[in-house]
Amino acid sequence: MNHRMIRYITGSLIQMEAAMLLVPALTALLYGERYSLLVFLGTALFCVAAGHLVKGKKPEDVTIFSSEGYVSVAVCWIVLSICGAIPLYFSGYFPNPVDALFEIVSGFTTTGATILGDVECLPRSVLMWRSFSHWIGGMGVLVFMMALLPLAGASSMYLMRAESPGPSVGKLVPKVRSTAKILYGIYFFMTVGEFLCLLAAGCPAFDAVNLSFATAGTGGFGVLNSSAGEYNAWIQVILTVFMILFGVNFNVYFLIYSRNIKDALRCEEARIYLGIIGASVVLITVNTLSLFRGPLETLRHAAFQVASIITTTGFSTVDFEQWPELSRTILVILMFVGACAGSTGGGIKVSRVAIMAKTILKELAVMKHPRNVRKTRFEGKPVEHEVLRSINVFLIAYLGIFILSVLLISLDNLDGITNFTAVASTINNIGPGLSKVGPTQNFSIYSNLSKLVLTFDMLAGRLEIFPMLIMCTAGLKGKRWS
């Protein structure tokens, strides 16, 4: 394994985080938050020095294979989170380092879970850092770095594959760096578009910036204790639309950008994703009709919550913990389904769910007609055996981590619904769960051990399980990684 290259990538990312910290530092300067300004600038200087020490000289061998890609991504996200937690801890608003780490991991992984009961008491610079971490983590911190810095040529595709969500990731154009630039270009213009729409709907500028960052990364950190509940109906509609848009595979937007509209409209995953949203909205609207003042208001809240949960954003306009059991069950199911592969959303992903469903139907057909030869097809192409195998392994690993996490946090003696949905919301990068971790609650009720378990779940969920597992097993003797 090319350890020097892993160190070089990690050091480069730490130094890049120093530049990221200038955003909240500038916010502190604009709003006269002197102490916060010193904290963020001090952390930025620390990141510059630490990155220089870790980085060292650029290694002669810059080749990255699959093992280096997975380990680099896992190590980078952990180090990024530790450095990002420093200003939160020294801000004085987070009781201990574990809480600060939980909060910033929730930000970078676009989970949106918090240990805070009152976010409105936070300085604006801290609010900005939380939301900006969503935006950086949404598309991927290493994808962002590749868009800015040349790393390892074509072999850096392993970094993008290890970090990007979904069963498979390919290059949009021949050069990986160009692919990263295209992705972040689309991401940036969609974020700006949402910001302008929010301003036009009457949203305050500071709130609009934070909401745009949080929606783009499908994260869900808000600047109000009510999340999105206090904003007017037009702002909620805009958030709903953009949450759904950011949950679509960005390859679709690239096809539109390339004027290949027909192929974009033929995207099977996007059609299934929109179909699931439509069916869920109809069912919840009918089920909750008596809770609101009319069908339009009911439809607005139902659409908002469905979009928020399936895209794993985690915003809320109402306390859906008070909804009927059918509606809450639909939302829990959507937690697991998640958004499209290649989007900023979390969850298992629509493509995996669709391929699994088609595989089951194929197996049933073979059982009825053993001589019938059928192949599972998705997006008009046969699904290769390697893809099916990786999906099966992913689900087994996902289930194992899920069960172990529920067992570990059960040591805190909280009820089963709380523990189950806490793990579901963190490993699927959603934010709110049900019961004591519902939309009006927070995760401060858990012990430090449980918070660390849930922090691992957030990282594992955002990085699609394998990078964290490979990092944990990379040092085992007798194993050869290639």
Side-chain angles (χ1 to χ4, degrees):
M1 185 176 290
N2 193 344
H3 292 95
R4 287 190 178 183
M5 192 59 193
I6 294 173
R7 286 184 58 187
Y8 182 79
I9 293 170
T10 305
S12 299
L13 184 65
I14 295 172
Q15 289 183 323
M16 193 182 75
E17 186 169 14
M20 297 178 196
L21 287 162
L22 296 180
V23 173
L26 179 61
T27 306
L29 182 64
L30 290 174
Y31 288 94
E33 298 168 355
R34 294 182 181 179
Y35 178 72
S36 294
L37 177 62
L38 292 175
V39 168
F40 282 108
L41 288 179
T43 307
L45 290 174
F46 168 79
C47 288
V48 171
H52 180 72
L53 290 174
V54 174
K55 185 178 178 181
K57 293 182 179 180
K58 188 172 183 177
E60 294 180 5
D61 181 11
V62 296
T63 306
I64 298 175
F65 291 109
S66 182
S67 57
E68 286 90 349
Y70 283 114
V71 174
S72 295
V73 165
V75 171
C76 282
W77 275 74
I78 291 171
V79 172
L80 180 85
S81 300
I82 292 172
C83 292
I86 294 173
L88 294 186
Y89 176 65
F90 283 102
S91 70
Y93 290 90
F94 295 86
N96 60 62
V98 174
D99 287 341
L101 182 64
F102 180 94
E103 195 80 8
I104 199 61
V105 169
S106 179
F108 280 124
T109 60
T110 72
T111 303
T114 183
I115 56 92
L116 296 170
D118 181 14
V119 299
E120 294 179 22
C121 71
L122 294 176
R124 295 207 166 192
S125 54
V126 174
L127 290 172
M128 180 62 73
W129 181 228
R130 292 164 81 241
S131 299
F132 187 56
S133 66
H134 279 335
W135 194 80
I136 293 296
M139 189 59 68
V141 289
L142 288 173
V143 174
F144 183 60
M145 189 165 71
M146 281 187 285
L148 300 178
L149 304 172
L151 287 178
S155 61
S156 59
M157 188 65 207
Y158 288 113
L159 290 174
M160 186 177 288
R161 285 177 178 166
E163 188 179 45
S164 299
S168 62
V169 175
K171 292 184 284 187
L172 304 180
V173 292
K175 292 184 178 180
V176 177
R177 190 181 179 192
S178 299
T179 296
K181 285 182 177 179
I182 290 170
L183 288 173
Y184 256 100
I186 296 170
Y187 191 47
F188 175 79
F189 282 110
M190 287 178 65
T191 306
V192 172
E194 180 184 1
F195 171 72
L196 295 175
C197 288
L198 289 172
L199 284 181
C203 186
F206 180 79
D207 293 37
V209 171
N210 283 268
L211 289 173
S212 298
F213 284 154
T215 307
T218 60
F221 275 152
V223 296
L224 301 176
N225 292 330
S226 62
S227 186
E230 292 183 29
Y231 296 114
N232 65 49
W234 284 111
I235 292 175
Q236 292 175 2
V237 170
I238 290 168
L239 290 175
T240 302
V241 171
F242 275 95
M243 282 190 289
I244 294 172
L245 290 176
F246 281 108
V248 174
N249 191 323
F250 270 61
N251 284 356
V252 173
Y253 300 130
F254 175 73
L255 291 172
I256 295 172
Y257 169 76
S258 304
R259 298 181 181 179
N260 199 343
I261 307 297
K262 289 184 179 180
D263 285 346
L265 294 175
R266 281 198 291 262
C267 179
E268 185 177 0
E269 183 183 27
R271 294 201 308 271
I272 295 171
Y273 164 74
L274 295 175
I276 293 172
I277 290 174
S280 301
V281 169
V282 170
L283 288 172
I284 291 178
T285 299
V286 173
N287 191 231
T288 60
L289 197 56
S290 61
L291 301 180
F292 301 101
R293 288 177 293 184
L296 286 179
E297 182 180 341
T298 308
L299 178 64
R300 171 162 53 86
H301 289 302
F304 187 97
Q305 289 310 148
V306 167
S308 178
I309 296 300
I310 194 170
T311 61
T312 70
T313 305
F315 282 137
S316 60
T317 55
V318 293
D319 182 9
F320 55 78
E321 172 68 19
Q322 306 303 318
W323 283 4
E325 194 63 35
L326 174 63
S327 296
R328 293 194 301 159
T329 302
I330 291 171
L331 293 180
V332 171
I333 293 171
L334 294 179
M335 286 183 185
F336 290 94
V337 174
C340 298
S343 71
T344 61
I348 292 174
K349 303 294 181 301
V350 172
S351 56
R352 285 196 182 98
V353 174
I355 291 171
M356 285 189 295
K358 289 189 173 190
T359 303
I360 292 171
L361 292 175
K362 186 203 78 170
E363 291 300 320
L364 291 175
V366 170
M367 288 178 184
K368 290 191 292 184
H369 306 285
R371 295 183 180 181
N372 187 13
V373 178
R374 293 183 59 180
K375 273 202 167 187
T376 302
R377 301 180 68 86
F378 189 70
E379 302 285 5
K381 302 175 183 177
V383 179
E384 299 296 331
H385 175 72
E386 284 297 310
V387 175
L388 293 175
R389 183 184 62 82
S390 68
I391 290 175
N392 291 334
V393 174
F394 172 86
L395 290 173
I396 293 169
Y398 176 96
L399 185 60
I401 292 173
F402 193 100
I403 293 171
L404 181 60
S405 298
V406 171
L407 286 173
L408 288 173
I409 70 172
S410 295
L411 293 171
D412 287 351
N413 269 332
L414 296 173
D415 64 276
I417 293 177
T418 298
N419 291 333
F420 182 88
T421 57
V423 174
S425 66
T426 50
I427 199 170
N428 293 313
N429 304 133
I430 294 166
L434 296 177
S435 190
K436 294 179 181 177
V437 290
T440 61
Q441 308 296 324
N442 59 75
F443 285 72
S444 62
I445 56 175
Y446 282 108
S447 65
N448 285 340
L449 173 63
S450 293
K451 288 172 187 171
L452 288 174
V453 171
L454 296 173
T455 298
F456 177 87
D457 289 343
M458 287 188 280
L459 287 167
R462 172 58 184 84
L463 300 179
E464 302 276 287
I465 307 294
F466 296 125
M468 297 299 291
L469 294 183
I470 289 175
M471 182 196 68
C472 293
T473 58
L476 292 178
K477 294 181 179 180
K479 298 289 184 183
R480 293 184 62 186
W481 306 96
S482 58

